[in-house]
């Protein structure tokens, strides 16, 4: 199921875990455009954990990422959605935490096993 954003400058994003690679790439470009501090080269290939301060589920998701990192090397970057423009922030406001790889999206709830399967 696709959800159209209220801003015409943003692509049409899928909100389920079946988003295609092209949609993920467009989403990642929009996030980088909305948060210029992400515009450095090494961030493009990293896994991103999207969340925000005060979100207990985001804390749980970060803990799961750290549990996985303790047994398997992973490289991820935590991104706070409060740094985004309003339309993009509102897109994620009810779905965080979200894990974005360069080609896949994983919405919460997820487990360490889900993360391991996603990131291997």
């Amino acid at each position: 199921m696709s959800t159209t954003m209220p801003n015409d400058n943003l692509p049409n994003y899928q909100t389920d875990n079946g988003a295609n690679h092209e949609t993920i790439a467009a989403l990642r470009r929009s996030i980088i455009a909305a948060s210029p501090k992400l515009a450095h080269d090494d961030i493009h290939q990293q896994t991103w954990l999207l969340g925000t301060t005060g979100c207990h589920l985001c804390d749980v998701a970060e803990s799961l990422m750290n549990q996985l990192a303790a047994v398997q090397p992973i490289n991820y970057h935590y991104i706070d959605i409060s740094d985004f423009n309003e339309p993009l922030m509102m897109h994620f406001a009810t779905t965080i935490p979200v894990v974005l790889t360069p080609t896949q999206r994983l919405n919460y709830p997820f487990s360490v096993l889900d993360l391991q399967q996603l990131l291997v």
Side-chain angles (χ1 to χ4, degrees):
M1 176 175 159
S2 294
T3 302
T4 303
M5 296 295 299
N7 183 334
D8 290 336
N9 296 329
L10 298 175
N12 195 18
Y13 302 127
Q14 291 186 336
T15 58
D16 65 7
N17 290 341
N20 65 37
H21 299 308
E22 190 175 302
T23 303
I24 299 299
L27 178 58
R28 289 172 67 96
R29 285 190 301 273
S30 294
I31 290 169
I32 290 170
S35 188
K37 68 182 179 182
L38 298 175
H40 49 86
D41 290 338
D42 64 334
I43 196 78
H44 294 280
Q45 293 306 312
Q46 287 185 348
T47 296
W48 300 347
L49 174 59
L50 306 179
T52 196
T53 304
C55 167
H56 73 282
L57 294 178
C58 300
D59 295 338
V60 170
E62 189 164 27
S63 176
L64 293 171
M65 295 289 281
N66 291 330
Q67 287 174 33
L68 179 59
V71 295
Q72 176 179 321
I74 60 169
N75 188 18
Y76 78 94
H77 186 78
Y78 185 90
I79 299 175
D80 193 322
I81 67 165
S82 68
D83 294 335
F84 296 167
N85 59 37
E86 186 174 355
L88 190 56
M89 181 179 62
M90 294 310 295
H91 172 75
F92 288 107
T94 60
T95 60
I96 56 172
V98 173
V99 175
L100 282 178
T101 73
T103 60
Q104 297 179 341
R105 174 179 178 157
L106 181 64
N107 293 335
Y108 196 82
F110 46 80
S111 67
V112 172
L113 182 59
D114 295 325
L115 290 170
Q116 185 176 30
Q117 291 173 345
L118 178 73
L119 301 175
V120 174

